[in-house]
Amino acid sequence: MQREKVKQVLASESGREVLVKGWVRTRRGNKNISFIALNDGSTIDNIQVVADNGSFDAEMMKGVTTGSAIGVRGSLVESQGKGQSVEIIAGEIILYGTADPEKYPLQKKGHSMEFLRDIAHLRFRTNTFGAVMRIRHAMAYAVHHYFNTKGYYHLHTPIITGSDAEGAGEMFSVTTLDLANMPKGKDGKVDFSSDFFGKHTKLTVSGQLEGELGALALGEIYTFGPTFRAENSNTPRHLAEFWMIEPEMAFYDINDNMDLAEDFTRYLIRYALDNCSADLAFLNEMVDKDLLERLRFVADNDFIRTTYTAAVEILEKSDRKWEFPVGWGRDLQAEHERYLVEEHFKRPVILTDYPRDIKAFYMKQNDDGKTVRGMDVLFPRIGEIIGGSQREEVMEKLEERMEEMGIPAEEMWWYLDTRRFGTAPHSGFGLGFERLILFVTGMSNIRDVIPFPRTPRNAEF
RNA sequence: UCCUCAGUAGCUCAGUUGGUUAGAGCGGCGGACUGUUAAUCCGUAGGUCGAAGGUUCGAGUCCUUCCUGAGGAGCCA
């Protein structure tokens, strides 16, 4: 007999034999009858299995407890009780694996997110993490679908890089040298010439620079891969290992870039609303009562687009007391961004044209000599979800900026070659995948939207 | 990394100005109930009070250091 997924069984007509396999969420009942809520991960909903205890081996039935894995063959019938439309009257129960109730850490009752983080290997078996992981999958699929439909190519940029100049944060070193006995050069520094790659290599902090190389030949590309930042960040919005989506497009200026960023994020949110309704309904009920309303609002309304300079004026005119000073040339603090998004505009905001001195070397300089064509997309609750820019395509200006900021041009010869040979206007951005999932699920800590979070002092599992 | 708060049973927490034998709910276990929905009811076991020092006749409670976690800030996606 063919096994069916709970999702299909729940959606199907009663009056037939079915076979399901999954994990027991709860078991209720008395001496004579058992009600088993069975979940197989295909949907947040459980199927109720009704078992006449007398018809089954008593020793086997003792093993059917919360967390155990079972298979059930039986007839699908209209439920006599309330709370579900159909249920399975068990004809045969196969006990695959028991879960000692005295030791199994998951209970019928809710657990704190902190506790579940300590048992991240088992937390997939909770309603919340099942929902989050199904949504995470749907969002990853939607990313690829979106770009494929638009003619973008998925480019696999390297995880291991020899470049020192990505400039997006502290990096993890990658080496096969003996850590207890590192070879030293005459200057006392580590000599990497005998290392695996013959040079000092690190884990990537961004695929952007390589992405630009692809875009300036293939037209439109995107990356979607892991990214590593060795920053000692302890916040609900940062991970040391996270996934980032970085589209890069030839012949796109900053306005085209903004159009894409907005269309892309609103598409993803609409996709979740259209395809993850059961999981979102659960999260809306149990995690964040405003979730669905917020998602619909963002999907249905245009983002505000304004400049850094205009934003500073808004902040200066407000009668709010700022913990950090506001002024042209200063970077916006979290409190400033939150005010703009959550109180002043009350919707997502795209800020552009930042002072050049607070942004990266590769951003295109404006004619005013003061600002660059960078853009940040700011979302309610989570702040910066996207950072991007039009890239500087003029060789002389790029070299000048690198010189000013101490970026070694000789190590970046391959990057500069794209400006040397057939340079063209181009743009791109980075979307933090986990921050997107945070927004879409209504979860409050980024460690709870990735299966196995890597944060300072934590690489368990 | 900085600031604030927290760490007591498997989980979530209470524990008074320092005072006898450290409590509750849930979960587990045993029992009752022929249709339950986080079932209900009765009973029961379960503790190195984060760690190490210190103050005191006496420390879960006060002090010091450290560890761990959370929230805020910075870095950013």
Side-chain angles (χ1 to χ4, degrees):
Chain A
M1 192 173 182
Q2 185 74 35
R3 177 215 175 179
E4 292 179 66
K5 290 298 189 81
V6 168
K7 186 178 185 179
Q8 277 80 49
V9 171
L10 286 173
S12 70
E13 293 292 313
S14 57
R16 63 195 185 88
E17 287 282 294
V18 294
L19 172 63
V20 295
K21 299 178 180 182
W23 293 267
V24 174
R25 282 292 169 77
T26 68
R27 177 179 172 188
R28 296 175 294 271
N30 54 43
K31 235 180 204 145
N32 305 293
I33 190 167
S34 291
F35 300 94
I36 301 160
L38 192 69
N39 186 282
D40 68 359
S42 61
T43 168
I44 190 145
D45 298 314
N46 305 321
I47 184 110
Q48 172 156 284
V49 174
V50 184
D52 176 7
N53 292 345
S55 308
F56 300 95
D57 178 65
E59 202 53 32
M60 185 276 291
M61 286 299 280
K62 276 176 82 173
V64 180
T65 58
T66 301
S68 60
I70 64 171
V72 178
R73 187 187 51 73
S75 49
L76 187 68
V77 301
E78 303 270 330
S79 178
Q80 292 176 34
K82 291 169 187 167
Q84 59 280 320
S85 57
V86 292
E87 64 192 15
I88 298 173
I89 304 296
E92 182 188 3
I93 296 177
I94 307 141
L95 180 60
Y96 289 106
T98 57
D100 184 347
E102 286 190 22
K103 291 176 183 155
Y104 187 62
L106 290 171
Q107 302 173 175
K108 296 177 185 180
K109 278 194 76 166
H111 291 291
S112 70
M113 291 297 149
E114 291 81 5
F115 173 69
L116 292 174
R117 242 168 259 155
D118 291 337
I119 52 164
H121 58 305
L122 295 174
R123 66 180 179 170
F124 301 107
R125 300 182 181 194
T126 64
N127 286 331
T128 300
F129 283 90
V132 169
M133 289 305 135
R134 279 186 295 271
I135 291 170
R136 185 181 167 107
H137 161 80
M139 290 293 89
Y141 174 79
V143 165
H144 290 300
H145 181 77
Y146 178 87
F147 284 125
N148 184 60
T149 303
K150 284 184 146 351
Y152 284 58
Y153 300 112
H154 184 195
L155 188 73
H156 295 107
T157 49
I159 308 295
I160 297 172
T161 176
S163 168
D164 233 354
E166 289 173 351
E170 291 296 310
M171 301 173 84
F172 292 100
S173 286
V174 176
T175 183
T176 56
L177 292 174
D178 179 3
L179 294 178
N181 187 24
M182 299 289 274
K184 300 274 176 64
K186 283 177 186 155
D187 56 3
K189 291 182 179 168
V190 175
D191 177 11
F192 286 98
S193 61
S194 62
D195 201 355
F196 187 90
F197 293 107
K199 64 191 295 194
H200 189 190
T201 51
K202 301 162 182 185
L203 293 179
T204 183
V205 292
S206 166
Q208 179 200 320
L209 301 186
E210 291 91 346
E212 287 186 47
L213 313 182
L216 290 169
L218 295 164
E220 292 92 19
I221 65 93
Y222 69 103
T223 74
F224 188 173
T227 306
F228 308 88
R229 306 259 167 106
E231 301 287 349
N232 193 4
S233 297
N234 295 286
T235 85
R237 295 178 305 282
H238 289 86
L239 292 165
E241 176 183 290
F242 64 99
W243 290 68
M244 187 155 63
I245 298 140
E246 296 180 287
E248 195 73 34
M249 301 75 64
F251 308 110
Y252 269 48
D253 67 14
I254 187 68
N255 292 309
D256 302 323
N257 204 19
M258 283 191 279
D259 289 344
L260 178 74
E262 177 167 347
D263 187 60
F264 179 49
T265 46
R266 286 170 67 182
Y267 168 83
L268 292 173
I269 291 164
R270 265 197 308 277
Y271 187 92
L273 286 167
D274 291 344
N275 294 278
C276 307
S277 52
D279 289 323
L280 286 175
F282 173 83
L283 294 169
N284 192 69
E285 179 64 28
M286 303 299 288
V287 172
D288 177 356
K289 298 275 187 206
D290 302 322
L291 176 62
L292 284 170
E293 190 186 337
R294 188 162 55 245
L295 293 180
R296 289 194 192 105
F297 181 85
V298 172
D300 292 343
N301 289 280
D302 291 344
F303 295 0
I304 298 289
R305 299 186 189 188
T306 189
T307 63
Y308 164 89
T309 303
V312 168
E313 282 172 18
I314 290 166
L315 296 169
E316 283 175 332
K317 277 185 200 152
S318 88
D319 40 17
R320 175 68 68 92
K321 285 264 183 193
W322 304 113
E323 189 182 344
F324 294 91
V326 174
W328 203 95
R330 295 176 185 277
D331 210 350
L332 298 179
Q333 304 294 317
E335 58 169 340
H336 307 140
E337 294 179 348
R338 267 206 310 276
Y339 175 82
L340 291 169
V341 172
E342 293 169 10
E343 295 182 49
H344 187 80
F345 290 118
K346 291 190 163 62
R347 66 173 70 182
V349 176
I350 310 181
L351 289 183
T352 54
D353 301 294
Y354 284 82
R356 53 180 256 169
D357 292 334
I358 60 172
K359 287 294 182 183
F361 74 92
Y362 49 72
M363 293 193 183
K364 180 160 184 64
Q365 298 177 53
N366 280 313
D367 294 337
D368 62 12
K370 294 191 301 188
T371 57
V372 291
R373 287 185 199 168
M375 66 171 201
D376 284 353
V377 179
L378 308 177
F379 262 40
R381 288 183 80 240
I382 54 175
E384 185 180 345
I385 192 170
I386 282 176
S389 70
Q390 184 172 341
R391 317 305 190 190
E392 182 58 76
E393 85 276 19
V394 179
M395 181 66 145
E396 293 73 31
K397 289 190 174 175
L398 186 57
E399 283 184 316
E400 191 185 301
R401 255 339 248 155
M402 290 172 74
E403 168 108 33
E404 283 172 9
M405 299 178 76
I407 312 279
E410 58 280 6
E411 279 184 30
M412 303 285 286
W413 62 272
W414 46 271
Y415 183 69
L416 291 167
D417 260 8
T418 54
R419 276 64 170 174
R420 194 172 281 123
F421 307 121
T423 191
H426 62 290
S427 299
F429 61 79
L431 169 74
F433 188 57
E434 282 76 19
R435 289 190 180 174
L436 172 79
I437 306 303
L438 264 186
F439 185 77
V440 172
T441 58
M443 300 290 284
S444 51
N445 194 310
I446 203 163
R447 297 163 192 142
D448 301 326
V449 297
I450 188 168
F452 302 105
R454 268 73 182 105
T455 52
R457 301 179 302 281
N458 180 19
E460 193 64 57
F461 309 110

